[in-house]
Amino acid sequence: MRAWNSTFKAPTKPMARSVWKKRSNKRAATKAERQHMNAQSGSGCILCRFLGYGNTPAEIHHIRHGMGAGQRNSHLMTIPLCPEHHRGATGYHGLGRRAFERMYGTTELDLFGMTQREAV
């Protein structure tokens, strides 16, 4: 066994990809999933309609129910939320799940059910 010294040279062939950088395990949406999400976002925020505010522009929120930290559900398990109700100070990501449910008196699954009923 050789002792470590300052004359050690690294291999000349560079690695193709760092072993420390993991590629994302989130897969891209299929064409059908993109169409589904586009139709949902075009319908407006489900929570604004539930609260009686009318139709507002929406972005897609992936339901977190049954998923661990850092994971997201299928692209079909989504609900349309306006930017304020999605990531704003009074939104799902701004308040957190428990505070969101307390503030609005509804859960993600309730909103998902409302979205599904409207789609039919």
Side-chain angles (χ1 to χ4, degrees), residues 46-63:
I46 189 71
L47 186 57
C48 284
R49 289 195 307 267
F50 173 72
L51 297 173
Y53 297 153
N55 203 7
T56 56
E59 49 192 36
I60 295 301
H61 170 71
H62 287 82
I63 292 178

Side-chain angles (χ1 to χ4, degrees), residues 7-84:
T7 61
F8 176 77
K9 292 184 180 179
T12 57
K13 183 179 176 184
M15 295 177 66
R17 181 171 64 100
S18 172
V19 295
W20 300 108
K21 291 185 180 180
K22 182 181 177 199
R23 290 187 182 169
S24 176
N25 58 356
K26 297 177 182 174
R27 73 175 175 77
T30 64
K31 184 176 180 180
E33 290 170 335
R34 283 194 311 271
Q35 289 173 341
H36 170 75
M37 290 187 290
N38 286 337
Q40 277 192 335
S41 65
S43 68
C45 177
I46 189 71
L47 186 57
C48 284
R49 289 195 307 267
F50 173 72
L51 297 173
Y53 297 153
N55 203 7
T56 56
E59 49 192 36
I60 295 301
H61 170 71
H62 287 82
I63 292 178
R64 298 293 312 260
H65 181 76
M67 303 308 295
Q71 296 176 339
R72 78 172 174 213
N73 230 323
S74 157
H75 293 298
L76 298 176
M77 294 284 293
T78 57
I79 56 175
L81 292 174
C82 66
E84 179 58 31

Side-chain angles (χ1 to χ4, degrees), residues 46-48 50-51 61-66 77-81 85 92 96-117:
I46 189 71
L47 186 57
C48 284
F50 173 72
L51 297 173
H61 170 71
H62 287 82
I63 292 178
R64 298 293 312 260
H65 181 76
M77 294 284 293
T78 57
I79 56 175
L81 292 174
H85 288 139
Y92 187 86
R97 181 185 58 83
R98 289 182 188 159
F100 181 85
E101 291 173 359
R102 241 187 342 265
M103 184 173 201
Y104 297 112
T106 187
T107 66
E108 277 183 313
L109 292 180
D110 295 337
L111 294 173
F112 179 70
M114 289 181 220
T115 304
Q116 296 304 308
R117 282 191 293 279

